[in-house]
Amino acid sequence: MKRIAVFTSGGDAPGMNACIRAVVRTAVYHGIEVYGIMRGYSGMIKGEFVKLDSASVSNMVQRGGTILKSARSQKFMTKEGRQQAYDQLMNNGIEGLIAIGGNGTFTGATLFEQEFGIPTVGAPGTIDNDLFGTDYTIGYDTAVNTALEAIDKIRDTADSHDRCFFIEVMGRDSGYIAIPCAIGGGAEIVMVPETQMSTEAVIDTLREGWKRSKTSFIVIVAEGEVEGNVHEVARRVKAAIPQLDTRVTIVGHIQRGGSPTAADRLLSSQIGIAAVEGLVNGMRNVMAGIVDKKLVYTPFADTISKKKLINQSFMRMVEILNS
């Protein structure tokens, strides 16, 4: 393999630049030319390729976002769009791809390989940490620390004013961000899609706390919570406990930005190297990940279809620490 390309797709995540850096320098180490594709599959269709070398990724390991930018492409979901992407790759002599992204990215890569035979190795780039085949995804540790910093500040004002704050964190349909934030932030309650905690259970817990003369509360709500969005949950609680002074805070997209933590820089570098070397060794349609501190390659079919389960001991920790 003489020439490969790397791209980022889907939501950005802190550490993507560190992964791009690792991909480029590993390719150079193995004597392979490497190109960056701007704006994911959209840029692939348009032929937005830029040649990368070691110097072009200097001073990048600490930067948030992605220098290759990211975009969602409706056109790539069509056969015509994928044909155009393939033609652009062939025109530029690209023999393999490194895709940094999540489920949607890997779904597109799987279809692309089935139709045109372009081998792809994936790097799990998403703050949600919801991909089967790796203990942690690129950007997850940074997102948790960013959200936790915000929660710590909200805790101060909640305590000062005897208020109950409902705080929404990201995670799509996963509670992987919410649960460590609840444990590390000392939240009284955490609502995540996996447990399907009812609003009635939240009300009961808050009432019990109120009876014990507790006057400030933190309730962490994952954005994909099945009971409804954080505003709806807060509204129902307020209706049931009128004496409770409630406020809502959505941490939002600050969780996707910022300089990656040391853990994310290390993970991104490990996976970037593994992705290139997997591609060189003939792997295709697999995601490089770390499970039990060991490098593994998981088929895209599994990362897409299999559910990554929440560690139930974490939920028990929340219950014990706030009893």
Side-chain angles (χ1 to χ4, degrees):
M1 192 167 285
K2 301 297 183 183
R3 185 178 294 177
I4 65 173
V6 58
F7 67 97
T8 52
S9 180
D12 60 315
M16 280 186 165
N17 281 328
C19 189
I20 294 167
R21 172 180 177 268
V23 167
V24 171
R25 294 197 167 172
T26 305
V28 170
Y29 178 85
H30 287 285
I32 300 169
E33 284 188 313
V34 57
Y35 281 75
I37 303 174
M38 303 299 295
R39 298 175 181 84
Y41 289 121
S42 177
M44 193 184 298
I45 292 171
K46 297 175 182 177
E48 297 180 352
F49 299 167
V50 56
K51 189 172 182 180
L52 301 173
D53 56 24
S54 289
S56 65
V57 293
S58 294
N59 195 29
M60 217 173 71
V61 70
Q62 79 282 9
R63 290 175 56 185
T66 163
I67 62 163
L68 296 179
K69 301 188 181 295
S70 186
R72 304 186 190 279
S73 175
Q74 292 295 322
K75 193 169 185 180
F76 192 81
M77 297 174 67
T78 68
K79 181 67 179 289
E80 177 189 7
R82 293 190 294 274
Q83 179 67 60
Q84 291 175 1
Y86 173 76
D87 292 341
Q88 294 286 5
L89 293 177
M90 293 302 97
N91 290 339
N92 287 274
I94 305 299
E95 302 171 76
L97 298 170
I98 304 296
I100 306 173
N103 273 333
T105 303
F106 301 155
T107 299
T110 300
L111 188 57
F112 199 42
E113 194 275 339
Q114 291 172 349
E115 292 176 344
F116 299 102
I118 300 295
T120 301
V121 175
T126 169
I127 67 168
D128 300 331
N129 199 35
D130 58 351
L131 291 175
F132 179 87
T134 188
D135 289 339
Y136 300 105
T137 57
I138 294 168
Y140 169 67
D141 187 72
T142 307
V144 169
N145 279 280
T146 298
L148 191 56
E149 184 179 357
I151 291 164
D152 286 345
K153 290 177 169 61
I154 292 168
R155 169 68 77 180
D156 291 341
T157 191
D159 186 58
S160 296
H161 291 275
D162 293 336
R163 285 174 176 157
C164 175
F165 270 85
F166 294 83
I167 305 173
E168 181 186 280
V169 297
M170 284 182 150
R172 199 170 55 172
D173 55 358
S174 166
Y176 265 98
I177 292 177
I179 291 173
C181 282
I183 295 170
E188 283 69 31
I189 300 169
V190 58
M191 300 180 72
V192 296
E194 290 88 346
T195 61
Q196 298 187 354
M197 176 183 285
S198 68
T199 305
E200 287 70 26
V202 173
I203 292 168
D204 289 343
T205 301
L206 293 174
R207 276 179 175 151
E208 285 300 315
W210 192 268
K211 288 177 183 177
R212 299 197 309 268
S213 300
K214 187 171 178 59
T215 55
S216 68
F217 304 88
I218 295 291
V219 180
I220 305 296
V221 183
E223 64 179 344
E225 170 54 37
V226 295
E227 281 290 289
N229 64 42
V230 66
H231 289 284
E232 178 63 19
V233 171
R235 185 193 64 77
R236 293 179 193 168
V237 171
K238 180 66 175 177
I241 315 176
Q243 67 270 32
L244 205 60
D245 188 4
T246 60
R247 294 291 187 277
V248 172
T249 297
I250 298 176
V251 181
H253 283 74
I254 65 168
Q255 293 160 94
R256 294 238 297 249
S259 183
T261 60
D264 268 328
R265 297 182 200 191
L266 177 60
L267 178 67
S268 300
S269 300
Q270 286 179 290
I271 288 178
I273 293 170
V276 174
E277 294 187 338
L279 195 61
V280 169
N281 290 324
M283 294 186 178
R284 58 205 300 141
N285 280 8
V286 296
M287 181 192 76
I290 306 295
V291 176
D292 293 332
K293 299 182 180 180
K294 296 178 182 177
L295 173 66
V296 298
Y297 293 95
T298 302
F300 283 160
D302 288 342
T303 67
I304 294 165
S305 65
K306 292 187 177 180
K307 181 72 173 176
K308 185 174 181 178
L309 301 177
I310 287 287
N311 188 332
Q312 290 302 310
S313 67
F314 289 165
M315 296 302 299
R316 186 167 180 265
M317 286 174 65
V318 174
E319 181 182 356
I320 291 173
L321 293 174
N322 293 293
S323 60

